[in-house]
Amino acid sequence: METHVPCTLEEERRIVTELISEAGDNLKEGNLYFVISNRWYTSWQRSSREPTRPGPIDNHDIIDTQSDASDPQLCRRLEEGVDYVLVPQQVWKKLVEWYKGGPTIQRKLICQRFQSYSVEVYPLCLKLTDSRDKSSATIRLSKQASVGLLYELVCSARGVSKEKARIWDYFEKKKSVLLDPSSERTLEESCLQVDHDILLEVDENASSKYDTSSAGNELALVPVGPTRSDATNTMHGANGHSSSGFGEREKRGLRGLHNLGNTCFMNSTLQCLAHTPPFVDYFLKDYSDDINEDNPLGMRGELATAVGELLRKLWSSGKNAVAPRFFKTKLDRFAPQFSGYNQHDCQEVLSFLLDGLHEDLNKVKQKTYTESKDSDGRPDDEVAEEMWKYHKARNDSVIVDVCQGQYKSTLVCPDCGKFSITFDPFMYLTLPLPTSLTRSMTVSVFYGDGNRFRTPYTVTVPKDGSLGDLSNAIGAACGLKDDESLLLADVYAHKVYKYLETPLLSLSEIRDNDRIVAYRFNQMHRGPGKAKLEILHSEQKQDAEISGKLFGIPLVTYVNSERHSGSDIDAIISGLLSPLHRTHSSSGSLEDTTVGEKEFSFSVFWLDRYSSSLKPLESDFVPNPLSATRLVVKWDEKEHEKYDSSSYLNDLPEVYKATSSVAEKVSLFSCLEAFLAEEPLGPDDMWCCPACKEHRQANKKLNLWKLPEILVFHLKRFAYTRFLKSKIDTFVDFPIHDLDLSKYVKNKEGESYLYELYAISNHYGGMGGGHYTAYAKLMDENKWYEFDDSRVSPIDEPKIKSPAAYVLFYRRVRSESEASSMDED
């Protein structure tokens, strides 16, 4: 397979940029986009800084190895910009024209709410069971496809007439909803989620007219709004006025939530909100008069209705877990970034829910515009009250009443001293955690002289450092001599994915789960007249196709860029593998450790850089001096017996592997003080000084002014750069009772600034995965419980503190006089 690249790299980038811009100006539903491995795409983007162009497009690293080669499926839990990129059809055509390769992964653009568009990277995957023979199959189609299209695909695949087919929503292998083929509902609106089970029944005696009177059609029972009778009855139950269930008084609020496919992030957030006392009081009563269906920033009240319905179920009698399917359908519809198989950030879904609920329940129908005014020397309390009044004139909901506070923001010009004071609302406080300015990285050093094989070294480098910093640190760790040098490479899928030869390359482009190798050479082995030789390993029993059938770690060396005989190559490979030579064979006889037998020791093939097929190595072999030449050694039992491949050719360590050890411990107060500390604005966030009439890097200082009834702290555990994501596992010591914030609040209006903890959202594990749970306190019992998806269990209060704490929920503790005053009101 040959590539066709008549353009310069600069011309390629210009063409691609223009085509992407053109596609962005002509968005419409149904436009085709193509998924490309981010590894390949970034190597193409960086090719101007590398000595050679990338090879053919290679999407194998993002394709599920278990999927059919004729219908390749993406691995699950991939992230855009990290694992893959999306390009419009015309860009894909150009890249294929220039570089060939594949496989092709085509997706369509779909229209979301408010005429926004997104590419449906993961179409709906449904698991079909045929009731006739219990056979199973997978059906893939868009979540926006109609139920009628689902019937057509299933009936076609199973050879059944549509009139005789009955397709059931088969959630948890139980018939729950009979899907109506004449309905205009989409699969998303029918609450079908990823990996959902559906059941096909065939009625041989069915007439052509479809009977929609079947029992179990729960979709008809989903309320369109909060009903007064249900709200009243449920509220009585939540207050304990029920004699059924758990003896004298039935416990409520202890229902878990089923995981619908990596939805623990959502479940954790929902349990924290469901155990927020003001929300329980509000959503279990009748709130239908508050729903604002006409707010263009809202969701026509559908989100508020879904949350209210879910809270009623969670606070209803019984202990069985609830499947939040109706809610998840609404979440996917209004916030498609949370759909699919990926794990998401629970704080992001919390932010979306609080904002969305506010807009759905905003009592202000017509928002008036009020221009923001500067303080102009007026007293802070006057300005703050004025700004809060303006805010409430546009925003009036239970969310504002319960969750929103106000902070004072002061900007000071570093040149003239001019300052500006504003008072802004907040919904939660995102607190920074102390983090190291360094990064631990593990690199395996391979010795090209054959004296030793490989040794892993873990070094500490600046987090914002360069490849040169890493190379120097590894060189010092392995005792690199003055006449030696290192060649760093990113190894993936048992071959060198790319060589890292740009000293100024940012270390942020090396991810924690990458595997980096440093090949050590004497300087005399590199330079003019030398060619790079890459040795890959494959099993002898495999055929001529190499893709996906390699094993072990590639070996790299430099050879003269002249003709080499088969015996020359054989001797080179033997030298590289000599550290793996077993002293004795399995028979116990001493092995001959010399090289140079008349019969070649290895079966060696040449791997074309732009092909996945192997070609026999010619007797007079000339390596390419401009790029790495790949040779493949096919191992049979003889090689495995002679060389210890299992110990040294496997288990290449990742750059960084997170451990459960706790590095340090800080207090919640120190995190809050860091949040409130004065600091200069970033270079991309300059302030236009009204006195200087110039953009200045002003100093910014925050102060708390007004605190809400419910105060949420988001501990900023996740750090993001373009290529690097990391988690800070610092233990934050937070008060459970008597969190006193009075010294941090500048407004001395006499309110209580004492808080108690009532819920925690926890995150366990590392980035891009992990698991979320919640701790919540049942106020009437004064007991804590752990909510781990569908499992609910009591937990002792001292155990709720851990390094996993991610989002903390506090409620204000009022004095007796304040409480009695509120009761009178």
Side-chain angles (χ1 to χ4, degrees):
M1 182 188 300
E2 295 183 358
T3 57
H4 180 62
V5 283
C7 304
T8 64
L9 289 168
E10 290 74 15
E11 182 70 8
E12 287 179 14
R13 276 190 289 276
R14 183 190 64 77
I15 292 172
V16 167
T17 300
E18 289 178 355
L19 290 175
I20 289 176
S21 177
E22 182 181 321
D25 293 337
N26 296 279
L27 295 178
K28 63 180 181 180
E29 196 165 15
N31 284 0
L32 295 181
Y33 277 73
F34 292 79
V35 186
I36 300 180
S37 164
N38 193 48
R39 283 179 176 269
W40 185 89
Y41 195 76
T42 53
S43 69
W44 172 75
Q45 288 179 315
R46 291 199 297 261
S47 54
S48 63
R49 307 195 304 267
E50 302 292 339
T52 59
R53 290 177 181 267
I57 299 171
D58 186 357
N59 285 333
H60 288 94
D61 63 313
I62 58 173
I63 290 178
D64 185 354
T65 57
Q66 303 300 316
S67 62
D68 192 330
S70 62
D71 184 25
Q73 299 299 320
L74 289 174
C75 297
R76 299 192 175 191
R77 304 184 185 182
L78 299 179
E79 294 185 57
E80 184 177 1
V82 176
D83 303 296
Y84 69 87
V85 295
L86 294 166
V87 298
Q89 185 176 21
Q90 295 305 317
V91 172
W92 171 256
K93 286 182 176 179
K94 280 295 180 183
L95 291 174
V96 171
E97 175 187 332
W98 296 330
Y99 291 96
K100 304 295 187 291
T104 300
I105 308 171
Q106 176 182 296
R107 294 294 185 262
K108 288 185 178 181
L109 196 69
I110 59 175
C111 184
Q112 303 288 343
R113 71 184 186 105
F114 304 144
Q115 291 299 304
S116 63
Y117 294 91
S118 66
V119 177
E120 191 174 23
V121 177
Y122 288 101
L124 204 57
C125 177
L126 303 176
K127 298 178 179 179
L128 171 69
T129 299
D130 192 327
S131 64
R132 296 172 296 177
D133 56 7
K134 305 303 180 184
S135 61
S136 60
T138 299
I139 304 294
R140 291 187 174 89
L141 68 173
S142 172
K143 63 183 179 182
Q144 294 191 345
S146 67
V147 173
L149 179 59
L150 174 64
Y151 265 82
E152 291 178 12
L153 291 176
V154 170
C155 292
S156 175
R158 291 290 164 174
V160 178
S161 66
K162 191 174 179 180
E163 292 75 17
K164 296 181 179 181
R166 301 288 183 269
I167 299 179
W168 290 84
D169 179 337
Y170 202 39
F171 182 71
E172 293 192 320
K173 299 294 185 179
K174 297 176 183 177
K175 293 195 294 186
S176 58
V177 178
L178 181 58
L179 302 178
D180 182 356
S182 62
S183 170
E184 295 183 359
R185 282 180 179 271
T186 65
L187 301 181
E188 181 181 47
E189 292 169 337
S190 301
C191 298
L192 298 185
Q193 307 287 338
V194 293
D195 289 338
H196 209 95
D197 284 296
I198 56 175
L199 176 70
L200 170 66
E201 290 184 335
V202 179
D203 184 358
E204 298 294 346
N205 300 317
S207 63
S208 60
K209 185 175 181 179
Y210 188 81
D211 180 11
T212 59
S213 62
S214 302
N217 194 339
E218 293 179 357
L219 289 180
L221 304 179
V222 176
V224 295
T227 59
R228 285 169 169 74
S229 59
D230 284 353
T232 303
N233 292 337
T234 307
M235 190 61 194
H236 282 308
N239 285 322
H241 304 302
S242 172
S243 59
S244 63
F246 300 93
E248 191 174 305
R249 178 166 160 243
E250 184 176 11
K251 295 181 181 179
R252 297 185 183 235
L254 293 179
R255 284 189 156 202
L257 288 165
H258 284 291
N259 193 312
L260 303 179
N262 219 20
T263 57
C264 58
F265 74 96
M266 179 187 79
N267 291 348
S268 172
T269 302
L270 289 173
Q271 291 290 7
C272 291
L273 292 180
H275 290 83
T276 297
F279 287 170
V280 177
D281 293 340
Y282 180 85
F283 283 104
L284 296 193
K285 293 178 181 177
D286 176 26
Y287 60 95
S288 56
D289 290 341
D290 291 346
I291 290 182
N292 187 342
E293 296 181 355
D294 301 320
N295 186 353
L297 300 179
M299 292 87 176
R300 301 187 296 276
E302 293 181 37
L303 181 64
T305 299
V307 169
E309 174 64 18
L310 183 58
L311 260 65
R312 287 189 182 85
K313 290 181 179 179
L314 290 175
W315 282 92
S316 64
S317 61
K319 297 180 84 173
N320 292 335
V322 175
R325 296 171 52 207
F326 180 63
F327 171 82
K328 184 61 165 62
T329 296
K330 297 299 181 183
L331 182 66
D332 289 354
R333 179 181 177 189
F334 294 120
Q337 66 269 29
F338 299 121
S339 62
Y341 300 97
N342 286 355
Q343 181 69 276
H344 297 281
D345 191 329
C346 78
Q347 187 273 331
E348 292 178 1
V349 78
L350 172 66
S351 176
F352 168 79
L353 289 177
L354 292 178
D355 287 338
L357 287 172
H358 161 63
E359 298 297 352
D360 266 7
L361 299 170
N362 194 352
K363 300 172 188 175
V364 179
K365 308 298 183 182
Q366 296 292 330
K367 294 186 178 183
T368 58
Y369 174 74
T370 304
E371 187 174 354
S372 178
K373 299 179 182 178
D374 199 70
S375 60
D376 289 330
R378 292 181 293 158
D380 282 351
D381 55 354
E382 177 185 326
V383 179
E385 183 61 30
E386 178 183 87
M387 297 307 298
W388 188 254
K389 179 182 176 182
Y390 291 159
H391 177 64
K392 285 282 288 184
R394 295 172 57 84
N395 303 277
D396 185 12
S397 71
V398 64
I399 304 299
V400 175
D401 295 341
V402 170
C403 296
Q404 288 196 355
Q406 187 182 38
Y407 58 71
K408 173 185 175 182
S409 175
T410 305
L411 291 173
V412 181
C413 178
D415 285 47
C416 71
K418 169 69 178 178
F419 63 88
S420 171
I421 296 176
T422 59
F423 291 84
D424 303 302
F426 68 84
M427 194 95 73
Y428 49 84
L429 299 177
T430 295
L431 306 186
L433 270 62
T435 180
S436 173
L437 297 177
T438 59
R439 179 183 178 191
S440 177
M441 302 183 74
T442 298
V443 175
S444 294
V445 176
F446 277 70
Y447 295 81
D449 56 8
N451 293 328
R452 280 186 288 170
F453 198 60
R454 70 178 172 98
T455 305
Y457 292 94
T458 300
V459 296
T460 301
V461 292
K463 185 169 288 186
D464 59 352
S466 66
L467 186 67
D469 296 323
L470 176 61
S471 183
N472 291 337
I474 293 296
C478 72
L480 195 70
K481 300 175 183 178
D482 291 340
D483 61 348
E484 292 181 316
S485 63
L486 296 176
L487 171 65
L488 273 66
D490 179 357
V491 172
Y492 179 79
H494 311 293
K495 55 188 175 184
V496 173
Y497 183 74
K498 63 176 175 286
Y499 290 96
L500 306 174
E501 300 181 89
T502 306
L504 295 180
L505 179 74
S506 172
L507 290 181
S508 65
E509 297 193 26
I510 299 178
R511 296 178 289 185
D512 282 349
N513 61 351
D514 285 344
R515 289 172 165 82
I516 305 299
V517 168
Y519 297 100
R520 180 174 180 173
F521 299 101
N522 189 290
Q523 294 280 25
M524 61 179 293
H525 293 154
R526 304 176 67 177
K530 299 291 184 179
K532 195 182 300 174
L533 203 62
E534 187 178 319
I535 311 297
L536 310 181
H537 313 279
S538 176
E539 296 291 353
Q540 179 69 46
K541 59 185 177 182
Q542 304 295 353
D543 55 26
E545 291 296 321
I546 195 64
S547 179
K549 298 171 183 177
L550 299 170
F551 77 92
I553 304 167
L555 307 177
V556 176
T557 189
Y558 283 88
V559 297
N560 293 327
S561 54
E562 58 188 26
R563 294 186 181 276
H564 292 266
S565 66
S567 59
D568 292 336
I569 299 299
D570 197 86
I572 291 169
I573 296 173
S574 295
L576 290 173
L577 292 176
S578 59
L580 307 186
H581 209 291
R582 299 181 192 271
T583 305
H584 293 81
S585 68
S586 59
S587 63
S589 61
L590 185 65
E591 283 283 344
D592 180 8
T593 59
T594 62
V595 179
E597 302 94 334
K598 292 182 180 179
E599 186 177 342
F600 297 152
S601 302
F602 304 98
S603 177
V604 184
F605 295 82
W606 171 58
L607 177 62
D608 188 342
R609 182 175 177 81
Y610 305 110
S611 173
S612 61
S613 60
L614 300 178
K615 300 177 181 178
L617 189 65
E618 299 176 358
S619 57
D620 290 328
F621 170 72
V622 180
N624 185 350
L626 301 179
S627 64
T629 300
R630 285 178 171 170
L631 300 182
V632 177
V633 176
K634 287 206 170 185
W635 290 60
D636 59 15
E637 292 183 4
K638 180 185 69 174
E639 275 77 38
H640 282 297
E641 182 177 321
K642 186 174 182 180
Y643 298 98
D644 185 9
S645 62
S646 60
S647 300
Y648 296 96
L649 284 179
N650 295 318
D651 302 325
L652 193 63
E654 295 180 351
V655 166
Y656 177 76
K657 193 72 172 179
T659 64
S660 59
S661 60
V662 180
E664 53 186 320
K665 180 177 180 180
V666 300
S667 72
L668 181 66
F669 295 106
S670 64
C671 297
L672 178 59
E673 289 164 4
F675 171 75
L676 298 174
E678 182 175 336
E679 62 179 1
L681 295 176
D684 297 328
D685 191 24
M686 306 285 272
W687 173 57
C688 185
C689 175
C692 299
K693 306 298 182 182
E694 296 286 344
H695 283 86
R696 304 293 189 195
Q697 193 170 4
N699 292 320
K700 183 176 183 178
K701 176 72 173 72
L702 294 178
N703 290 108
L704 299 179
W705 186 263
K706 178 185 181 70
L707 296 185
E709 291 297 307
I710 298 299
L711 182 58
V712 179
F713 290 107
H714 163 225
L715 305 179
K716 197 173 181 181
R717 293 197 177 277
F718 300 129
Y720 300 86
T721 64
R722 181 182 176 191
F723 292 97
L724 180 66
K725 294 185 178 183
S726 58
K727 182 185 176 186
I728 304 170
D729 288 314
T730 300
F731 184 99
V732 178
D733 190 10
F734 47 85
I736 299 175
H737 306 281
D738 300 328
L739 171 65
D740 188 355
L741 299 174
S742 55
K743 77 172 186 177
Y744 300 101
V745 183
K746 296 302 179 183
N747 177 21
K748 307 302 181 184
E749 59 183 11
E751 270 200 281
S752 168
Y753 299 123
L754 199 64
Y755 288 82
E756 71 168 334
L757 187 72
Y758 71 88
I760 306 173
S761 178
N762 303 298
H763 180 269
Y764 300 90
M767 291 295 302
H771 182 60
Y772 285 97
T773 68
Y775 296 144
K777 185 178 183 179
L778 258 61
M779 295 301 178
D780 57 347
E781 290 187 23
N782 197 31
K783 290 183 179 179
W784 284 87
Y785 289 86
E786 180 182 18
F787 294 83
D788 185 354
D789 286 332
S790 59
R791 186 179 66 85
V792 180
S793 57
I795 184 172
D796 295 333
E797 185 172 271
K799 294 182 179 179
I800 66 173
K801 289 188 178 185
S802 78
Y806 182 42
V807 183
L808 307 175
F809 293 78
Y810 284 89
R811 71 168 188 161
R812 191 196 303 272
V813 178
R814 295 191 176 275
S815 64
E816 292 184 6
S817 59
E818 286 179 310
S820 60
S821 175
M822 291 185 67
D823 291 340
E824 291 175 4
D825 293 340

